[in-house]
Amino acid sequence: MYAKSISKPKPEINLSCFSFLFSEIFQYLSKNDKEKDIEQSLIDFANPIGERVLELAMYREKTKGKRYTNIVDVLHFIRGPVWKLLFGKMAEDLQQSSEDEDVYFIKDLCPITNKYTCTRDSINCAAFIAGIIEGVLCSIDFPAKVVPHFAEDDDEFTDSTLFQIKFTKGALEYEARYSGDS
Amino acid sequence: MHFAIFIINSHGSLVYDNTALSDKIKIKSNDALRLAGTFHTMHSISSQITPESAEEEKFIAGTHLRDGIQTIESDSFKLHCYQVLTGIKFLLVSDVSTPETEMHHMLAEVYQIYGDFVSKNPFYEQDMPIRMTKFDKAIEKLFMPSYY
């Protein structure tokens, strides 16, 4: 495995393996952090993964070592290369909230964490993915809070999830500081 | 034509039943539980009186799974049982004209759906009744493909 080149992406992990592992992670977390909300535990669990994903995604990008100083650029980076690296496809949609300037939405029609899971008490397993996004954003110096929501749709069995990304003040200041330079 | 599916866990309790494949069978849920228990017992008795033969025996983690009852045939229905290695039994009730191979095939498909939507679901507790919309949907899709 170490002999493989890390710059040549070959996304091949068995979906069943992932699902079983994820299921165990979920049960482990729900047993251990009883007082905490399960979605929050999933997000916290996935945060360090995001940091590593960022490292790899940056390395594989053509513009190696480029710093992102613009929120929209960062979001496109996540929607495109990061999503491709993780799931082998782009995220379906990226929107800015019409009400708040610092809130953005990324939409995925069927997150792999939701493929086999049935929801109960409206717990969204895609919180795991939200945690990864949060990890990426925090490591790239745009700290944000990411919350998964089920996309409202006519079909009640839908898996599609909106990741609500709310940037902190620090992120906005960071952008403002660098936007003059570039 | 298929009438009903039952899934019995390794301890003999009913974890899933679906008699809505057709409107021919009406059974109360309590009766279904009792029937599942009875079938489980009959099955284990029959597997114990099965004469030993070296090839047919399956040893899995110390348990001794022999096939026992595979089919029950009557004038009006056929019941096929598919026991998997973990001891879960999948039962399918169909009409007499249905070939054995088709029933077996259908149950194998049900097993696959079970593997996907039940085993991989973090909310599912082992040996508990299966109540999952996605599982129900997949079963419906398998048995009534014309609706989709």
Side-chain angles (χ1 to χ4, degrees):
Chain A
M1 189 191 168
Y2 290 108
K4 270 189 195 164
S5 163
I6 54 170
S7 55
K8 286 262 172 63
K10 250 197 182 164
E12 272 168 26
I13 292 176
N14 194 314
L15 180 59
S16 290
C17 285
F18 170 78
S19 302
F20 279 121
L21 182 63
F22 179 73
S23 167
E24 285 307 313
I25 290 171
F26 187 98
Q27 287 180 1
Y28 171 79
L29 288 175
S30 57
K31 265 182 214 142
N32 279 272
D33 302 341
K34 270 191 183 125
E35 68 280 8
K36 244 206 253 166
D37 179 26
I38 180 68
E39 283 191 8
Q40 193 54 48
S41 342
L42 273 176
I43 290 176
D44 294 345
F45 182 86
N47 254 316
I49 302 175
E51 290 165 23
R52 283 150 219 230
V53 165
L54 173 68
E55 200 96 38
L56 185 59
M58 278 299 227
Y59 181 80
R60 283 184 184 164
E61 265 297 82
K62 288 198 182 79
T63 54
K64 274 176 197 153
K66 185 192 160 212
R67 270 182 95 175
Y68 287 94
T69 52
N70 182 312
I71 282 182
V72 178
D73 284 352
V74 170
L75 288 171
H76 274 291
F77 170 66
I78 289 178
R79 186 195 164 209
V82 171
W83 227 262
K84 267 220 171 104
L85 167 74
L86 290 169
F87 313 117
K89 57 164 192 173
M90 298 255 285
E92 263 73 24
D93 202 9
L94 171 66
Q95 294 169 350
Q96 185 174 16
S97 164
S98 50
E99 288 151 26
D100 298 295
E101 225 172 76
D102 55 348
V103 176
Y104 291 83
F105 293 103
I106 289 180
K107 187 179 183 186
D108 193 325
L109 283 185
C110 58
I112 47 168
T113 49
N114 288 14
K115 187 158 193 233
Y116 294 126
T117 52
C118 270
T119 47
R120 193 188 296 164
D121 310 327
S122 68
I123 293 169
N124 195 337
C125 291
F128 185 72
I129 300 173
I132 296 180
I133 302 174
E134 207 175 283
V136 170
L137 284 171
C138 290
S139 322
I140 214 167
D141 276 336
F142 284 98
K145 196 102 201 84
V146 184
V147 184
H149 292 291
F150 281 113
E152 283 170 31
D153 229 323
D154 300 331
D155 184 6
E156 57 176 310
F157 299 116
T158 179
D159 294 333
S160 61
T161 300
L162 276 177
F163 298 98
Q164 184 199 47
I165 303 169
K166 187 169 169 49
F167 286 97
T168 57
K169 256 196 185 145
L172 297 175
E173 278 166 13
Y174 183 86
E175 188 190 27
R177 186 145 32 101
Y178 282 98
S179 57
D181 301 352
S182 54
Chain B
M1 185 184 192
H2 305 292
F3 298 132
I5 323 168
F6 301 96
I7 301 176
I8 303 172
N9 71 12
S10 48
H11 308 298
S13 42
L14 186 74
V15 288
Y16 179 81
D17 68 304
N18 187 343
T19 49
L21 301 181
S22 72
D23 48 9
K24 298 272 165 61
I25 292 185
K26 291 205 173 60
I27 187 165
K28 284 184 197 136
S29 54
N30 268 343
D31 294 340
L33 282 170
R34 205 170 306 127
L35 282 177
T38 314
F39 183 83
H40 180 77
T41 321
M42 293 306 294
H43 188 276
S44 57
I45 291 172
S46 74
S47 65
Q48 275 176 29
I49 56 172
T50 308
E52 287 197 27
S53 85
E55 306 118 65
E56 280 173 21
E57 274 177 35
K58 297 165 188 161
F59 289 95
I60 302 98
T63 53
H64 208 125
L65 290 174
R66 273 187 235 149
D67 272 342
I69 300 172
Q70 278 189 341
T71 334
I72 297 175
E73 267 182 68
S74 81
D75 288 345
S76 48
F77 75 91
K78 237 186 202 174
L79 184 147
H80 190 82
C81 172
Y82 178 62
Q83 180 171 242
V84 300
L85 295 181
T86 44
I88 302 164
K89 284 187 267 297
F90 295 83
L91 307 184
L92 180 67
V93 185
S94 308
D95 65 359
V96 256
S97 62
T98 320
E100 202 85 333
T101 46
E102 190 200 319
M103 293 174 79
H104 193 81
H105 175 75
M106 282 310 240
L107 285 175
E109 297 266 330
V110 173
Y111 182 32
Q112 197 177 344
I113 294 171
Y114 175 90
D116 276 348
F117 293 102
V118 180
S119 311
K120 288 173 194 163
N121 191 334
F123 297 102
Y124 181 66
E125 285 169 49
Q126 203 76 53
D127 294 336
M128 295 308 275
I130 300 164
R131 273 188 221 96
M132 282 151 204
T133 42
K134 275 189 191 165
F135 180 75
D136 293 342
K137 256 205 145 174
I139 293 282
E140 232 173 81
K141 208 169 182 170
L142 173 65
F143 284 94
M144 293 173 244
S146 55
Y147 285 6
Y148 290 87

